[in-house]
Amino acid sequence: MSGVWTIYRKELRAFLVAPLTYVLTGVFLALGGYFFWATVVISGVASLAGFFGNTTIVLIFLIPVLTMRLWADEESRGTGELLLTSPVSLGQIVVGKYLAAVTLFAGMTLLTAGYPIILYLFGEPYTGPVVAGYLGFLLLGAACVAVGMFTSTLTDNQVIAAVSGFGILLLLWLLQWAAEALGGTAGAILGGISALNHFASFNEGLIATVHAVYYVTVVAGFLFLAVRNLERRLWRSPERGAQSTILTVAVVGILVLANVFAVRAPWQLDLTPEGRFTLSGQTRQVLAALRGPVEITAFVRTGSDSPVPDLVQAYGKASRQVKARVVDPLREPSLAQKLGVQQYDTIVVQQGSRTRKIDPDSLYTTVPGEYKTEFNGEQAVTRAILELGQEQQLKVAFLTGHGEASPEEGLTQLEGDLRGEGYDTVTFNLAETGKVPADTSVVVVAGPQSDLSPDELEVMRKFVNGGGRVVLLLDPSQRSFSGWASLARELGVELGQDVVVDPVRAFIFDVLSPLPVMEDHPITSPLSERRMQVMLPRARSLARAALPATASGAAAAAAPATASGTTTGAGTASAPGESAAAVAGPPVVTSLLRTSAEAWGEPLTGERVKIEKNPGDPGGPFDLAVAVERANPAATEGEPAPVAVVVGNSAFIQDDFLGFQGNRDFFLNAINWLTGKKSLISIRPKVFAPPMITLTPNLVWYSFYGFVVALPLLLLVSGGLIWWRRRAL
Amino acid sequence: MIQLEHVSKQYAGRTAVEDLTFTVEEGEVVGFLGPNGAGKTTTMRMITGYMPPSDGRIRVAGFDPIEDPFEVKRRIGYLPENPPLYGDMTVSGYLYFVAELKRVSRDRRRAEVARAIERTGLTEVSGRLVGHLSRGFRQRVGLAQALIGDPPVLIFDEPTVGLDPQQIVEIRQLIKNLAGEHTVLLSSHILPEVQAICQRVIIINKGRLVAQDRPEALAERLHAGAEFRLRVRMPRGAGAAGQATAEAAGEATGEAAAGVTGEATGEATGEATAEEAAGVARLLRQVNGVRDVVPEGAAGAFRLILDPGLAVEQSEEVRERVFYELARARYPIIELSPARVSLEDVFVQLVTEEQAGGEGA
Ligand SMILES: Nc1ncnc2c1ncn2[C@@H]1O[C@H](COP(=O)(O)OP(=O)(O)OP(=O)(O)O)[C@@H](O)[C@H]1O
Ligand SMILES: [Mg+2]
């Protein structure tokens, strides 16, 4: 050990008196200072990522020049003969020299401390990425120094040592390109060997053992090679040669194993402000429960700073069942085409033959007025995995027979979307079957043109009271449908016999197409966050039913079997949805969409009237869509269970209007809410809010002169002074 | 202390040292001689463990330099052919570093450095950068470096290269003083130096051992009793002039007169002496058993070379005849001693013999 220390101090002293050291440090600081200044001032972001990202390239030129003398100089001066005939081992010599060069590099890095200081003084940088960035930078530098140490032992010519060190480092860098071009397993391995790749995640704020182990491997490997190379002159006998071959194989094996182990049992410390590399507990539960392999493919433009690849890779790391791939659709157009991908940042989740596609629109939410983006990728991907994994798909049944729109007619697009969300769709006609199809989760009634017969009403009533869920979409009609009205009343909703006119909140071209206000509810809030409107072309008003469903009396009047007979109620109705337990209790009605206060209801009497507010017309605001829940009597304190969503319009989900802003999502959210998929909505989106820094024009120039001119000059001057003073010795 | 047994070394197939066997005893100072490229440096590098031999066995204090490098390296002070110096260190800083490297204990380092500086005469330059020193001073720093830690075995590869005469004398004295407590192996091209310092000489040529012995013994062995230094009184005493041989006297008369009249012209005197010396040489060449007589610089000094291959008694008889002959001619003998043959002659002879033998074989 004392040998290492002796060599280390001698080497460090040699660095400190060499003018070359000061020149190199000056160049390093000038370039680094410029990169820092340019990225921070131009982007106004208080982060060192730009500085680190650009300066890494400088290292591959700079470090070989720094390390070239380490052994080549000893060899050419003949001082190697002193070292090799002194009681120190080759290992001690190599390690001592290496540590001295690393210390010098760390010192050079320390001289950049002014950059974060400026950031902290005038902005609010995230500490995590700064710390991880410096750590990664030091590790990267340490790896480069090891390469330089090795090439210095190859020759007694310093120029050759520097050039070959530069060559190896450049190769390690360029491998990344080859890896990208190659793709596949070979590409993955090459990418794993590439030095740059591993730095990127440090620079984002992730400290991961995989990457740290990579750098440690490079250091250990090249130092080992350096010692081996110096030992060459001692390999006199074949048996020594054989021994050293065995040793080399053993060391290479250990290093490879260490990396494999690090990949297999990853440990990481996520210092990114938004926790970009950390999956929520819910996701990890979902992944732990995976029963079959899942393939997640992200289609991302090469070089974009999208969080999608990191997210997808995080899934890949979190579970061995998940195979994560990041693909540039330009490089693999056939795959993109096969999976129907048309936009960057699309994620496709596959399990077996089943596929879910997540469009980029659903990944991001911009928070208006603030420099923030919310990223909902984890929510989307986890939900997709969960849905794919469900053994039985949830069934959405469309009622027909009353002139309703159905997947065959008018709802073809919607059917595709439902299937995309993981639902199975069927249609049924009560007149034919007399019951709701088995295992139906939700019955959709999309704009009936005729009334429900009393028998059908009875079936539907039993269905909803027995735990079934419905979506009632009832357009304004001149006729009044007593069957539908009593079904609605059963759900606590009174149908208005009118068409709503909202002079304030309506589609610009049509006063009869309200763009209602969104009330706060899991169904609507994702829309209002994204500022998306729902348009209801011709809507009827909805009101709360005048307490018909309060307690048991009203419920009993409406449906004799429901109030107490929780089990028998379900008996005659077909098996209602996923829950066999009947749901009772008073319906709780919550507004989803409301008109403005200026709206009124134009009565529909059959004769043509002028659209204007008459004194007798009911005044707004009206509900246009409501959500209905009922307390679950089985669990006394249980959450109320969703029962129905009632909307005074059905046209909004038909093919003509489905594409309008939030129409599709409103309906899909409603279905998801009814079927309980809303639980996954609770995964917190990752918020990207770049840390800002504002520098006054004066500061901008002071920092330029300070970092790009003064500090490097100071180094050059001190190097010159040292040379001047020693000149006379 | 140092043993080599059948040591060979090949550089990429070219043999530098071949089947070298010798021993250096503890406390001995041994000179290592050989022409350029003979393999001296190579041998020393193998002894110090800088490189392994291709074949054979080396022991330093009983340890193998490759198997037990630490044990060997701890005991050796080594001055390589090119002094291993760091130009960017001061002399004392460099020596201090070497002291650390040689594992001199912390409290003794300063004293060690000071002692080495003093012994090699570096005091006045101890604060200067090694890179700024002259060639000779650098060589001294290299020597000082080898002395650090007072190792029992010292290996010097051409230690006095580049030194001024004054310093050469001092360093030789230093090495002589090391004898006894230290085992010293030094290589050199300067033969008088080896002759002056070493108790034993090992001569190699083309990687092979040619001879090893004490310097005098080597000389003896080669020219045993065959050459003598002879000095006679000259010019001959005035009273004896008449009894000189006719020719010699005839030549000498004028000279004697000149000598009496005064020695104003040294050149005339010198010429006269040279002629007289030539006369004496002619006289002695006629003696049976004398092969040649060569007058040498100083007046009355000759090299007396007897016929080769004479036995010791025969040689003594010849010298007896010389004595009477000179006595007869009234040239009293002041000195008659076996000549110290210079090692250079031995060396050249050995090497050429070796070459001739090698080519013949
Ligand atoms: N590193 C080397 N590679 C190849 N051949 C070498 C090497 N070092 C020495 N030799 C060869 O080995 C032989 C012995 O060289 P060595 O340096 O030992 O001679 P030396 O006796 O020290 O000579 P000198 O008196 O000139 O110093 C020479 O022929 C030389 O060319
Ligand atoms: Mg030599």
Side-chain angles (χ1 to χ4, degrees):
Chain A
M1 224 53 267
S2 74
V4 172
W5 180 234
T6 304
I7 300 281
Y8 170 80
R9 288 195 317 169
K10 174 233 142 193
E11 214 59 54
L12 199 56
R13 230 179 296 134
F15 272 127
L16 292 182
V17 299
L20 179 63
T21 307
Y22 294 86
V23 173
L24 286 181
T25 311
V27 169
F28 169 73
L29 288 175
L31 290 173
Y34 177 73
F35 290 139
F36 166 75
W37 181 83
T39 53
V40 166
V41 165
I42 289 171
S43 66
V45 176
S47 145
L48 291 179
F51 155 67
F52 283 132
N54 288 304
T55 311
T56 47
I57 284 296
V58 176
L59 295 188
I60 72 171
F61 298 93
L62 198 120
I63 287 190
V65 180
L66 192 75
T67 56
M68 64 183 183
R69 47 164 288 270
L70 283 176
W71 185 259
D73 191 37
E74 305 271 9
E75 196 78 46
S76 63
R77 286 201 215 189
T79 45
E81 209 164 343
L82 169 65
L83 298 184
L84 295 181
T85 58
S86 295
V88 282
S89 68
L90 290 177
Q92 289 173 330
I93 294 172
V94 166
V95 171
K97 282 171 172 288
Y98 171 72
L99 288 180
V102 166
T103 306
L104 189 76
F105 173 70
M108 288 164 69
T109 309
L110 193 66
L111 290 176
T112 65
Y115 313 162
I117 288 176
I118 290 286
L119 294 189
Y120 278 98
L121 282 181
F122 300 103
E124 285 177 14
Y126 294 124
T127 302
V130 171
V131 170
Y134 266 114
L135 181 69
F137 193 67
L138 286 177
L139 282 171
L140 178 68
C144 295
V145 170
V147 171
M149 173 78 237
F150 165 68
T151 57
S152 184
T153 64
L154 292 176
T155 163
D156 58 0
N157 183 324
Q158 300 194 27
V159 175
I160 296 178
V163 169
S164 48
F166 166 69
I168 293 184
L169 289 178
L170 196 65
L171 195 73
L172 282 182
W173 247 253
L174 298 189
L175 272 185
Q176 177 60 24
W177 296 354
E180 278 167 14
L182 229 67
T185 323
I189 290 174
L190 282 189
I193 296 174
S194 158
L196 201 54
N197 229 2
H198 295 272
F199 179 68
S201 68
F202 278 104
N203 205 10
E204 285 171 2
L206 179 76
I207 298 176
T209 41
V210 191
H211 305 305
V213 165
Y214 166 81
Y215 287 121
V216 172
T217 302
V218 172
V219 170
F222 277 98
L223 290 190
F224 175 76
L225 284 181
V227 174
R228 290 274 88 176
N229 191 42
L230 289 181
E231 247 175 24
R232 250 184 343 187
R233 60 183 92 218
L234 296 181
W235 298 348
R236 54 167 176 171
S237 63
E239 104 205 49
R240 249 176 196 275
Q243 271 176 19
S244 69
T245 310
I246 291 172
L247 185 61
T248 308
V249 169
V251 168
V252 169
I254 288 171
L255 291 179
V256 168
L257 276 185
N259 279 276
V260 169
F261 183 75
V263 170
R264 283 287 166 84
W267 178 90
Q268 63 184 36
L269 181 60
D270 186 353
L271 295 180
T272 56
E274 72 277 5
R276 176 190 291 216
F277 298 93
T278 311
L279 297 177
S280 69
Q282 291 178 51
T283 297
R284 273 180 277 124
Q285 275 173 16
V286 168
L287 292 181
L290 273 183
R291 261 185 249 122
V294 169
E295 203 170 316
I296 308 180
T297 313
F299 292 84
V300 184
R301 182 170 54 85
T302 312
S304 82
D305 58 356
S306 151
V308 168
D310 289 333
L311 175 78
V312 169
Q313 303 289 10
Y315 277 87
K317 281 181 203 155
S319 166
R320 228 172 287 171
Q321 297 268 36
V322 176
K323 183 169 168 249
R325 272 196 304 172
V326 178
V327 172
D328 188 330
L330 289 185
R331 297 192 192 214
E332 294 185 45
S334 59
L335 182 65
Q337 202 170 18
K338 194 179 117 204
L339 295 174
V341 172
Q342 272 150 4
Q343 299 177 68
Y344 285 122
D345 280 13
T346 301
I347 304 173
V348 175
V349 185
Q350 289 167 282
Q351 187 170 34
S353 58
R354 297 163 63 192
T355 298
R356 288 287 321 278
K357 194 169 83 184
I358 302 164
D359 285 330
D361 311 349
S362 56
L363 296 181
Y364 299 99
T365 319
T366 3
V367 182
E370 288 176 68
Y371 292 104
K372 274 201 232 175
T373 312
E374 284 184 353
F375 178 61
N376 303 301
E378 184 183 352
Q379 179 182 332
V381 173
T382 300
R383 185 197 279 183
I385 293 175
L386 198 62
E387 286 162 3
L388 283 178
Q390 269 155 358
E391 243 162 70
Q392 211 177 12
Q393 278 175 290
L394 296 181
K395 196 182 284 178
V396 176
F398 288 85
L399 182 64
T400 57
H402 313 88
E404 296 97 337
S406 72
E408 287 88 40
E409 213 189 321
L411 300 181
T412 45
Q413 282 185 30
L414 184 73
E415 188 196 19
D417 289 327
L418 281 171
R419 290 188 181 277
E421 286 275 310
Y423 292 101
D424 200 9
T425 54
V426 294
T427 56
F428 70 104
N429 188 330
L430 280 177
E432 289 169 13
T433 61
K435 57 178 185 173
V436 179
D439 301 327
T440 296
S441 300
V442 182
V443 168
V444 177
V445 181
Q449 307 293 318
S450 59
D451 202 359
L452 203 60
S453 74
D455 292 342
E456 290 172 332
L457 173 64
E458 200 48 41
V459 174
M460 285 306 291
R461 209 180 240 163
K462 282 186 179 157
F463 177 71
V464 292
N465 287 330
R469 287 98 198 253
V470 290
V471 176
L472 277 185
L473 309 174
L474 299 168
D475 291 311
S477 171
Q478 290 166 4
R479 288 185 282 157
S480 80
F481 301 127
S482 64
W484 295 117
S486 59
L487 182 61
R489 211 169 293 124
E490 187 76 24
L491 299 166
V493 178
E494 196 71 54
L495 301 177
Q497 191 57 32
D498 55 8
V499 58
V500 169
V501 185
D502 192 337
V504 181
R505 294 197 50 94
F507 186 50
I508 184 83
F509 302 113
D510 183 8
V511 73
L512 288 178
S513 296
L515 299 178
V517 181
M518 309 242 175
E519 299 294 315
D520 191 31
H521 189 274
I523 294 175
T524 48
S525 46
L527 300 177
S528 43
E529 275 162 17
R530 284 149 64 192
R531 300 263 149 135
M532 291 166 95
Q533 302 286 354
V534 173
M535 179 177 67
L536 305 175
R538 309 282 180 282
R540 71 160 84 210
S541 68
L542 304 174
R544 318 276 158 122
L547 297 180
T550 40
S552 49
T562 43
S564 52
T566 46
T567 43
T568 53
T572 41
S574 60
E578 60 213 354
S579 161
V583 179
V588 180
V589 178
T590 316
S591 298
L592 296 176
L593 304 175
R594 269 172 98 74
T595 65
S596 69
E598 281 74 26
W600 72 90
E602 195 70 41
L604 282 175
T605 50
E607 12 172 322
R608 269 191 93 75
V609 292
K610 215 170 143 213
I611 296 176
E612 59 181 4
K613 185 160 170 50
N614 301 318
D617 296 346
F622 305 109
D623 284 334
L624 298 182
V626 295
V628 182
E629 290 165 290
R630 270 206 281 224
N632 186 347
T636 41
E637 278 173 73
E639 297 239 320
V643 179
V645 170
V646 183
V647 185
N649 172 279
S650 77
F652 79 102
I653 58 165
Q654 298 202 13
D655 293 345
D656 296 343
F657 299 102
L658 189 68
F660 182 83
Q661 295 198 5
N663 285 10
R664 172 191 281 117
D665 283 4
F666 176 80
F667 182 80
L668 294 179
N669 288 355
I671 296 283
N672 288 340
W673 176 75
L674 283 172
T675 55
K677 285 192 183 175
K678 64 164 185 174
S679 61
L680 278 169
I681 293 173
S682 65
I683 294 178
R684 195 174 57 84
K686 299 187 191 317
V687 181
F688 295 106
M692 305 312 287
I693 184 167
T694 356
L695 296 174
T696 64
N698 269 347
L699 263 172
V700 166
W701 290 111
Y702 288 157
S703 56
F704 180 84
Y705 289 121
F707 290 136
V708 185
V709 182
L711 192 59
L713 266 184
L714 191 71
L715 261 292
L716 292 184
V717 167
S718 42
L721 272 181
I722 285 174
W723 171 82
W724 180 259
R725 285 192 48 202
R726 290 169 54 87
R727 187 189 51 107
L729 276 181
Chain B
M1 201 63 169
I2 304 173
Q3 291 157 288
L4 276 78
E5 289 171 21
H6 308 292
V7 170
S8 301
K9 176 76 190 178
Q10 274 104 30
Y11 287 112
R14 285 182 52 227
T15 302
V17 170
E18 202 175 351
D19 198 22
L20 197 57
T21 302
F22 67 81
T23 305
V24 180
E25 298 300 337
E26 192 164 351
E28 239 185 335
V29 177
V30 173
F32 202 35
L33 284 180
N36 289 138
K40 304 182 293 294
T41 301
T42 304
T43 308
M44 290 181 152
R45 285 181 165 175
M46 290 190 289
I47 295 172
T48 54
Y50 178 68
M51 51 172 64
S54 314
D55 211 345
R57 226 170 66 123
I58 298 178
R59 287 281 178 276
V60 176
F63 296 104
D64 185 312
I66 300 304
E67 305 301 332
D68 284 312
F70 274 55
E71 293 300 331
V72 171
K73 288 170 182 176
R74 266 177 46 201
R75 290 174 166 80
I76 286 188
Y78 174 38
L79 168 65
E81 196 164 35
N82 306 307
L85 304 178
Y86 294 103
D88 53 7
M89 289 182 166
T90 61
V91 171
S92 52
Y94 169 69
L95 293 177
Y96 196 84
F97 162 66
V98 174
E100 269 182 68
L101 201 60
K102 301 282 179 187
R103 302 178 169 228
V104 174
S105 67
R106 181 181 289 275
D107 45 322
R108 276 183 43 228
R109 273 177 214 156
R110 241 159 239 301
E112 262 320 305
V113 170
R115 198 179 61 105
I117 285 180
E118 195 244 282
R119 286 174 102 176
T120 50
L122 287 169
T123 319
E124 53 183 309
V125 297
S126 68
R128 299 196 57 197
L129 285 187
V130 173
H132 291 172
L133 294 183
S134 68
R135 172 91 172 82
F137 271 108
R138 284 189 217 184
Q139 184 70 19
R140 292 198 226 175
V141 177
L143 259 173
Q145 164 273 127
L147 297 177
I148 292 278
D150 208 16
V153 179
L154 290 165
I155 312 259
F156 298 134
D157 202 346
E158 301 180 25
T160 54
V161 169
L163 299 184
D164 61 46
Q166 162 83 19
Q167 187 65 25
I168 289 181
V169 172
E170 282 174 28
I171 295 298
R172 285 182 190 167
Q173 194 53 49
L174 172 72
I175 296 175
K176 267 188 181 169
N177 293 346
L178 290 170
E181 276 176 38
H182 299 79
T183 309
V184 183
L185 177 65
L186 67 91
S187 77
S188 177
H189 296 121
I190 307 170
L191 297 151
E193 172 173 295
V194 174
Q195 223 159 354
I197 319 175
C198 300
Q199 296 151 10
R200 211 151 57 83
V201 183
I202 294 169
I203 299 177
I204 63 170
N205 184 37
K206 292 192 170 167
R208 287 174 163 280
L209 185 77
V210 176
Q212 55 169 326
D213 210 333
R214 289 180 298 111
E216 307 83 34
L218 274 177
E220 290 269 338
R221 201 178 83 193
L222 212 68
H223 291 268
E227 193 173 327
F228 295 88
R229 276 173 59 82
L230 170 69
R231 271 183 68 207
V232 299
R233 165 79 67 213
M234 263 178 61
R236 179 163 52 174
Q243 283 162 29
T245 52
E247 34 190 324
E251 283 165 21
T253 330
E255 291 155 21
V260 173
T261 47
E263 295 168 20
T265 51
E267 204 165 300
T269 318
E271 261 172 43
T273 320
E275 280 185 32
E276 193 177 357
V280 173
R282 248 175 277 136
L283 187 73
L284 289 177
R285 273 191 208 111
Q286 290 157 9
V287 174
N288 188 13
V290 173
R291 188 188 188 188
D292 197 9
V293 178
V294 185
E296 287 204 319
F302 298 90
R303 229 156 44 131
L304 181 69
I305 301 165
L306 309 190
D307 285 340
L310 293 178
V312 176
E313 310 88 69
Q314 289 170 317
S315 159
E316 282 173 3
E317 279 168 24
V318 175
R319 277 178 267 171
E320 205 179 308
R321 285 200 286 277
V322 167
F323 168 79
Y324 286 120
E325 193 59 35
L326 285 170
R328 207 172 48 75
R330 299 197 58 81
Y331 284 103
I333 291 178
I334 297 165
E335 182 191 338
L336 178 64
S337 62
R340 270 180 70 90
V341 182
S342 92
L343 202 52
E344 239 139 324
D345 301 332
V346 178
F347 182 64
V348 170
Q349 185 168 346
L350 280 172
V351 168
T352 32
E353 267 174 19
E354 162 87 4
Q355 259 153 359
E359 273 149 30

